[in-house]
Amino acid sequence: MKLTLDTDARTATVERDGETRALPLYSPETFSELSRLWVKVGWDMKQIYSFTWMGRPVIQLPEDMVRAQEVIYRVKPDLLIETGVAHGGSLIFYASLFRAMGAGRVVGVDIEIRPHNRAAILAHELAAGITLIEGSSIDPGIVQQVREQIRPGSKVLVMLDSNHSYDHVAKELEAYAPLVTPGSYIVATDGVMEFLDDVPRGSPAWKTDNPKAAAADFARRHPEFVLEQPPFAFNEGQITEPVTHWPGAYLRRSP
């Protein structure tokens, strides 16, 4: 793909697969092209490794966080399960939402919770709303420990953010989807890998070996789940698609 911008003429020219398109510079179509390129360059530059939430590193694209909080506010889960802990920033983020909403708990699962990260999470002001479980997220014993955290009648939402290979995410989807309550979601994050096959830090294998592909195949096997990008709760602009690391991520369980 070749993208040429002429700010004086206010045009953008896109050359892709032997076709050339001329677009107005200030248009949703050009925004989409620029956004995808921005996401790719930003990912390779590790831009998302520069954010924190209430003192803890949170390795997420801020727009994904803002969009996710609106889904959480709408669904109002009693329990949010997240696979993948890392520094704990996203656990703190979700716990802060629940504190503001007045209800809700977070369970974080990781194959290795490093001692300094565990200590920082447990020392945080929001630690009371967080439970940590160490072990592989697809280990049946670990899945059972997570299941035991669900209280009768609870609404459950699941975020998958651990190993992002197709195989691992597919197994996580099979393991955790049954825990999701009707009307809630299981979210297979970081499907952007599909579009990072050609960046310096990427891999050609990611074109098919990614969470987005796993989520799409899961939806085909499980008609009770629908791939659905949650709509914008508010939009007075011309942009209708998010700038995201999570394309094709949200699987909603039918009521």
Side-chain angles (χ1 to χ4, degrees):
M1 190 270 281
K2 183 177 181 180
L3 177 62
T4 305
L5 303 179
D6 187 333
T7 57
D8 291 331
R10 297 187 175 188
T11 60
T13 303
V14 181
E15 299 176 45
R16 180 186 289 114
D17 299 328
E19 296 184 3
T20 300
R21 288 194 304 153
L23 303 169
L25 180 59
Y26 298 100
S27 66
E29 294 81 6
T30 299
F31 180 86
S32 178
E33 296 289 351
L34 291 173
S35 296
R36 178 172 289 204
L37 183 59
W38 177 84
V39 164
K40 293 179 71 166
V41 175
W43 186 90
D44 198 66
M45 298 293 101
K46 300 180 77 169
Q47 185 231 4
I48 60 170
Y49 287 77
S50 64
F51 300 105
T52 58
W53 187 267
M54 295 185 71
R56 296 305 301 155
V58 55
I59 306 171
Q60 302 288 0
L61 197 67
E63 179 161 341
D64 285 325
M65 295 174 65
V66 173
R67 304 284 181 204
Q69 68 78 30
E70 196 61 40
V71 172
I72 292 166
Y73 183 71
R74 174 164 54 83
V75 173
K76 292 182 171 57
D78 301 291
L79 184 69
L80 188 150
I81 300 162
E82 181 177 48
T83 63
V85 170
H87 300 279
S90 54
L91 295 179
I92 300 299
F93 173 64
Y94 300 132
S96 71
L97 297 178
F98 289 140
R99 177 71 63 87
M101 291 162 60
R105 299 179 299 121
V106 186
V107 171
V109 183
D110 206 307
I111 195 167
E112 180 188 11
I113 303 174
R114 295 179 179 177
H116 64 283
N117 287 329
R118 179 185 291 274
I121 295 166
L122 295 180
H124 199 276
E125 300 96 313
L126 295 170
I130 299 171
T131 299
L132 297 175
I133 297 176
E134 187 168 21
S136 171
S137 59
I138 57 175
D139 182 294
I142 296 298
V143 176
Q144 180 58 31
Q145 287 186 47
V146 174
R147 187 179 289 111
E148 291 169 358
Q149 294 291 321
I150 303 173
R151 298 166 184 167
S154 293
K155 292 181 184 178
V156 178
L157 188 148
V158 179
M159 308 290 293
L160 303 178
D161 193 17
S162 60
N163 181 324
H164 296 304
S165 71
Y166 176 99
D167 183 63
H168 187 86
V169 174
K171 290 176 180 176
E172 284 187 322
L173 286 165
E174 295 292 345
Y176 291 93
L179 308 184
V180 176
T181 43
S184 188
Y185 294 84
I186 185 166
V187 186
T189 69
D190 285 338
V192 70
M193 289 169 59
E194 179 184 14
F195 311 112
L196 300 175
D197 60 298
D198 60 346
V199 304
R201 290 180 54 241
S203 167
W206 290 357
K207 196 69 178 174
T208 55
D209 186 11
N210 61 72
K212 182 173 179 285
D217 286 347
F218 178 85
R220 282 189 281 270
R221 294 193 303 272
H222 295 271
E224 72 274 24
F225 283 89
V226 179
L227 271 173
E228 172 190 274
Q229 178 62 45
F232 293 180
F234 169 80
N235 188 6
E236 290 186 348
Q238 299 180 55
I239 305 305
T240 58
E241 296 294 328
V243 179
T244 182
H245 281 191
W246 302 355
Y250 284 86
L251 287 154
R252 179 179 57 83
R253 187 164 194 168
S254 301

